[in-house]
Amino acid sequence: MRLQRRRGALLVLAALALFFLAAAFTGCDPALLWSRRGHLADILVKMFPPDWGWFPRILAPLWATVQMSVAGTALGALLALAAAPLCAGNLPFPAPLRTALRALVQLTRTFPALILALTATFLVGIGPFAGTAAITVYTFAIMARLTSDDIETAPDGAFRALLTMGTPPYRAFFRGMFPSVASTYLTNALYLLETNVRHSAILGYVGAGGIGLLLNEKISWREYEKVGSILLALFLAVCLIESLSAYLTALVTGRRKAGRTLRRVIIAAAVVLTLVSAATVGRPDFARTSLRTAAAMLGGLVHPDWGFFFDTGAGGLGYLLLETVAIALAGTVLGALASFPLALLGSGRLMPRPVALLGRTVCLAIRAVPFLVYGLIFIRATGPGPFTGVLTIAVCSVGLISKRFGQAIDTMDMRAYRALASMGVPVLSRVRWALLPQLGPAFGSAVLYRFDVNIREASVLGLVGAGGIGAPLVFAMDHFDWPTAGAIAIGLVLLVWAIDWLSGQLRKN
Amino acid sequence: MFLRLQDVCKSYNGGSVRALDGVSFAVAEGQFVSVIGPSGAGKTTLVRLLCGAERCDAGQIELDGVRLDQARGGALRALQRRLGSIWQDFALVEQASALQNVLNAALPDMSPLPALAGAFGRQRRDEAAALLDRVGLADKLDAPVHQLSGGQKQRVAIARALMRRPALLLADEPVASLDPVTGRQIMELLQDIRRTEGLTVLMNSHDLALAKEFSDRLIGLNTGRVVYDGPADVPDQALAAVYGGGEAAP
Ligand SMILES: Nc1ncnc2c1ncn2[C@@H]1O[C@H](COP(=O)(O)OP(=O)(O)O)[C@@H](O)[C@H]1O
Ligand SMILES: [Mg+2]
């Protein structure tokens, strides 16, 4: 007991120390932000009212964005479903295949969608096809991991029974085991669809189609009222997809019932939408591609620039990776702090309905804006550098953390709280001892999960000049400097692997 | 009299549901009283009024000479500090350890800063540990409550109530969510504690057999009215009014 409490206090102290180190390392300067708050306000004011007349021009790229995410999510999720049983440790599939697939998943999981898209443009040409390919690979990696984790904890009695009757293992899996993981699988896929719409919206930045190109153009030309209309359109699209996915999730998890015909109509509509999206996404363009490019890229991975890899100076890989981690760390902590009041505000349980609705809309609006856009806006206030990266990551984290945290608040068990009240415990002590213990674990796991995502996001911030490893990586790729790109890629893989291991250890405690 | 109720009324939904309809009785110090009655008779409502979680619409509730129904703020909390309560669903913090749950009952006696920081002090920790030992959980001090069985959870809840050194112990269906064997063990524990500590106990139960076996006196409620008030060792026919015309017999 004593020991446990001391360890808890040590953990908190260590986290605080890490945060302040990371903040100092990335040059966090609240005074600078405060002194230049006018710039931010200016940009916001200029976005309203948005340029309504320009709205129709947005529809085509917006549709392309949605199309890329629908096609990519569906394809990636299907591939993941095929691969997941082969990755799961508890099923009798060949071990070498399992090891190879797991390595592939871990490898692809390391790279943010944007870097995947940039890579794809070298192989399949500029355009939405590259974006769709990137979303597919990105979805595949995440879904394969989540689904195989689920399979490992699912009951396997029916599966074993089918095996003993001589059913081939792959078929036995889909008959005997998939039904018990199906609803989580679909829920995860729907959640990824939402995320992917936001991701697709910035892929245009590297020439991979969708609304990103237009968005980047309008921000750099400072036509903020047009930026406003694009963001508004995105917000509406995200709202639509969120409510659709919430409805479908409720159906999938059985919280809402639908008749047979309605179910069929929904399935048919989903299939048609996916097929139409996939069929009209545009063809790959192999004009610029050659086997030589592909060989050179692979060569970079096999023979990376070891000099750069082991360089411990300020321009070396170690320093850049450290900066990336520091940005992610400081940004996650700041974002978590900001999420706390927002989640309270958006809780239907603690707040009156209109307030809660307002809180949720603010959260959704924050979430709808693609994260590089925050980078581009903050950079106008705080200039290029890692501090801008920290601010960007912080704002992006707010959406997800406050959503998860709000869910935890809304499912809190109030019985102990009331029991303590009836013994005369004052309200603050009641909150501290009956409610916080329930929220702690949910909050911790949301923050850890977001940190994991933020490492990836922070590694592309360099694209807009907001620090980290992204700038050198994209620069190297643009200049066909594959040995440097290879070194960075290997560094990122090792980093994500190390963070995975660390957060696994933390979760255990 | 230690606890006295006079014409207590409580209704819900703007008066359409009369949960308690003119309830009067008095309990002497050291008595073990069971409130019996079918589901919906108003038993839980009665306990909620007695522990100050809700206010009655009319009537008087007096605890040790102080009007509980009129007390507010600090005065109400001062009365509540003399109560211990046990609930059907345990009402524990599932993520916290058994010891922490018992310590939570010491919070009303502490000043704000130590209470928030968790500086309970050696003496309170020892007392809480001794109480868990008393209810037979000496080896579960640090176990998170969600890892305990139903019977063990209710033992933690009893230890938490005792931590208040209550003048009056309120129990709302303390064994209704336990299996019969475990339920009997919990009742035996309660009886034993009452004997050694000289507690006054007011317990709700829809289980007539248990109530008759363990209490000195029965109060029968039906649709919010007292329809029986007398000794516990009477034949079942004497209690016909309690279960007649209610929603369901036990
Ligand atoms: N919070 C409430 N809102 C509305 N009606 C309630 C509420 N609490 C209790 N009631 C009603 O009051 C009556 C008595 O309920 P209760 O005291 O829970 O009975 P018991 O505990 O004996 O089963 C029931 O008809 C119940 O529906
Ligand atoms: Mg009840």
Side-chain angles (χ1 to χ4, degrees):
Chain A
M1 179 74 204
R2 267 284 157 97
L3 221 86
Q4 248 173 24
R5 292 200 319 140
R6 202 166 294 165
R7 214 175 54 183
L10 270 180
L11 261 176
V12 169
L13 276 183
L16 271 180
L18 266 179
F19 166 66
F20 282 113
L21 275 179
F25 188 68
T26 51
C28 283
D29 185 359
L32 175 71
L33 181 65
W34 183 248
S35 70
R36 313 210 42 174
R37 65 192 183 279
H39 292 251
L40 284 182
D42 273 355
I43 294 178
L44 281 180
V45 167
K46 280 189 199 144
M47 282 189 198
F48 289 97
D51 184 347
W52 298 107
W54 203 61
F55 226 77
R57 284 273 314 279
I58 303 173
L59 293 179
L62 183 65
W63 164 242
T65 306
V66 173
Q67 202 180 7
M68 279 167 23
S69 23
V70 170
T73 310
L75 197 60
L78 281 178
L79 287 175
L81 183 56
L86 306 177
C87 294
N90 58 339
L91 302 187
F93 292 107
L97 186 62
R98 173 158 62 237
T99 314
L101 266 175
R102 277 189 180 178
L104 179 72
V105 168
Q106 179 65 23
L107 207 73
T108 37
R109 226 173 68 79
T110 304
F111 299 103
L114 206 65
I115 295 300
L116 293 174
L118 186 54
T119 313
T121 56
F122 287 105
L123 298 175
V124 295
I126 291 202
F129 190 85
T132 312
I135 295 287
T136 305
V137 173
Y138 182 78
T139 307
F140 166 78
I142 295 181
M143 286 298 289
R145 167 82 178 256
L146 289 175
T147 312
S148 68
D149 281 358
D150 272 352
I151 292 174
E152 283 175 0
T153 53
D156 63 351
F159 170 76
R160 304 261 161 226
L162 283 174
L163 277 189
T164 58
M165 292 179 221
T167 321
Y170 212 62
R171 205 176 308 161
F173 165 77
F174 280 100
R175 289 279 154 218
M177 211 165 183
F178 180 62
S180 56
V181 296
S183 89
T184 344
Y185 168 79
L186 285 173
T187 312
N188 287 337
L190 285 170
Y191 173 72
L192 262 180
L193 177 65
E194 294 170 36
T195 323
N196 283 342
V197 172
R198 284 184 284 274
H199 277 127
S200 315
I202 50 169
L203 294 186
Y205 210 89
V206 295
I211 208 164
L213 192 61
L214 203 59
L215 193 52
N216 180 32
E217 189 182 289
K218 296 306 164 203
I219 292 181
S220 28
W221 292 352
R222 306 196 180 202
E223 294 185 68
Y224 291 117
E225 63 294 332
K226 292 192 170 141
V227 174
S229 32
I230 295 178
L231 291 182
L232 187 66
L234 257 180
F235 172 67
L236 293 178
V238 167
C239 278
L240 191 75
I241 289 185
E242 278 234 355
S243 41
L244 199 73
S245 125
Y247 173 77
L248 292 179
T249 305
L251 277 189
V252 164
T253 53
R255 268 181 290 124
R256 193 191 267 270
K257 297 269 173 282
R260 228 195 151 100
T261 21
L262 182 59
R263 269 213 306 269
R264 283 193 182 156
V265 168
I266 290 173
I267 291 173
V271 170
V272 168
L273 180 66
T274 310
L275 286 182
V276 168
S277 298
T280 58
V281 87
R283 304 259 180 77
D285 167 16
F286 292 113
R288 286 200 324 157
T289 341
S290 63
L291 266 181
R292 278 244 297 284
T293 325
M297 287 171 92
L298 263 184
L301 277 178
V302 181
H303 301 289
D305 181 349
W306 292 117
F308 171 65
F309 192 90
F310 288 111
D311 183 357
T312 49
L317 181 67
Y319 183 88
L320 290 168
L321 283 179
L322 192 64
E323 187 174 83
T324 308
V325 174
I327 292 175
L329 190 78
T332 310
V333 173
L334 287 179
L337 290 179
S339 304
F340 203 80
L342 255 180
L344 289 178
L345 207 68
S347 153
R349 197 158 170 183
L350 305 176
M351 295 289 156
R353 265 185 80 88
V355 178
L357 201 68
L358 183 77
R360 284 186 187 181
T361 314
V362 169
C363 267
L364 195 65
I366 292 178
R367 230 149 18 110
V369 178
F371 83 101
L372 275 187
V373 175
Y374 286 118
L376 289 169
I377 291 174
F378 277 126
I379 221 163
R380 302 254 184 269
T382 48
F387 179 39
T388 301
V390 171
L391 292 176
T392 308
I393 294 289
V395 176
C396 300
S397 310
V398 164
L400 182 105
I401 298 181
S402 60
K403 180 175 177 181
R404 289 266 201 104
F405 197 39
Q407 282 167 347
I409 290 178
D410 283 343
T411 52
M412 246 173 356
D413 178 357
M414 301 298 284
R415 290 176 298 191
Y417 180 86
R418 285 195 291 263
L420 291 188
S422 76
M423 295 180 183
V425 176
V427 63
L428 272 182
S429 298
R430 259 180 274 157
V431 171
R432 163 70 184 85
W433 294 103
L435 300 187
L436 280 193
Q438 298 184 48
L439 296 179
F443 199 47
S445 89
V447 171
L448 267 183
Y449 173 80
R450 188 63 216 192
F451 178 60
D452 192 65
V453 175
N454 280 347
I455 290 274
R456 249 148 288 180
E457 310 241 303
S459 63
V460 291
L461 281 172
L463 214 62
V464 296
I469 193 85
L473 177 56
V474 173
F475 186 81
M477 289 173 82
D478 278 343
H479 291 79
F480 307 102
D481 178 3
W482 301 118
T484 304
I488 296 179
I490 293 175
L492 269 176
V493 168
L494 291 179
L495 177 69
V496 167
W497 180 73
I499 301 265
D500 253 18
W501 180 81
L502 209 79
S503 78
Q505 293 294 313
L506 272 180
R507 247 176 259 261
K508 253 189 242 160
N509 293 320
Chain B
M1 278 296 166
F2 182 64
L3 173 70
R4 187 195 302 276
L5 283 81
Q6 191 70 49
D7 288 325
V8 171
C9 296
K10 174 77 188 173
S11 43
Y12 290 108
N13 298 341
S16 61
V17 182
R18 314 201 86 187
L20 292 178
D21 192 1
V23 170
S24 306
F25 62 84
V27 178
E29 198 155 7
Q31 252 184 351
F32 191 130
V33 179
S34 282
V35 179
I36 56 169
S39 164
K43 306 182 294 293
T44 298
T45 306
L46 180 67
V47 168
R48 282 209 296 256
L49 293 182
L50 288 179
C51 69
E54 282 182 65
R55 230 161 247 296
C56 53
D57 304 332
Q60 304 176 0
I61 303 176
E62 204 173 273
L63 181 70
D64 212 4
V66 186
R67 284 285 290 278
L68 192 129
D69 56 298
Q70 290 181 332
R72 268 158 233 247
L76 176 62
R77 273 213 296 281
L79 278 172
Q80 285 176 323
R81 287 181 197 179
R82 308 186 55 194
L83 304 174
S85 49
I86 308 170
W87 306 89
Q88 174 177 352
D89 50 22
F90 321 124
L92 297 169
V93 183
E94 297 271 328
Q95 292 79 1
S97 68
L99 187 70
Q100 181 60 54
N101 268 286
V102 178
L103 281 172
N104 283 348
L107 289 168
D109 311 327
M110 299 166 66
S111 40
L113 268 182
L116 290 181
F120 290 95
R122 162 124 248 142
Q123 199 186 341
R124 290 200 181 92
R125 284 178 193 282
D126 288 347
E127 192 183 347
L131 283 170
L132 281 169
D133 185 24
R134 171 80 177 82
V135 298
L137 290 178
D139 55 337
K140 299 284 184 203
L141 298 191
D142 292 329
V145 164
H146 65 82
Q147 284 177 4
L148 302 180
S149 70
Q152 289 171 331
K153 284 181 189 177
Q154 198 57 297
R155 285 168 194 271
V156 175
I158 291 174
R160 179 177 69 178
L162 292 180
M163 184 77 185
R164 292 251 25 91
R165 300 180 203 226
L168 172 64
L169 184 64
L170 298 167
D172 185 27
E173 309 264 11
V175 302
S177 47
L178 303 176
D179 65 85
V181 176
T182 318
R184 171 161 281 279
Q185 287 167 356
I186 292 292
M187 285 308 301
E188 277 161 3
L189 174 67
L190 272 179
Q191 194 182 41
D192 184 37
I193 286 169
R194 177 179 78 105
R195 284 220 187 93
T196 48
E197 325 277 317
L199 272 177
T200 313
V201 181
L202 187 135
M203 175 184 88
N204 280 343
S205 174
H206 67 259
D207 185 331
L208 182 57
L210 272 184
K212 278 170 90 169
E213 180 177 348
F214 287 95
S215 42
D216 316 324
R217 172 179 164 199
L218 298 180
I219 294 178
L221 278 187
N222 192 330
T223 54
R225 290 205 181 84
V226 177
V227 291
Y228 176 87
D229 187 349
D233 49 351
V234 288
D236 282 358
Q237 296 90 293
L239 300 168
V242 178
Y243 294 102
E247 281 172 34

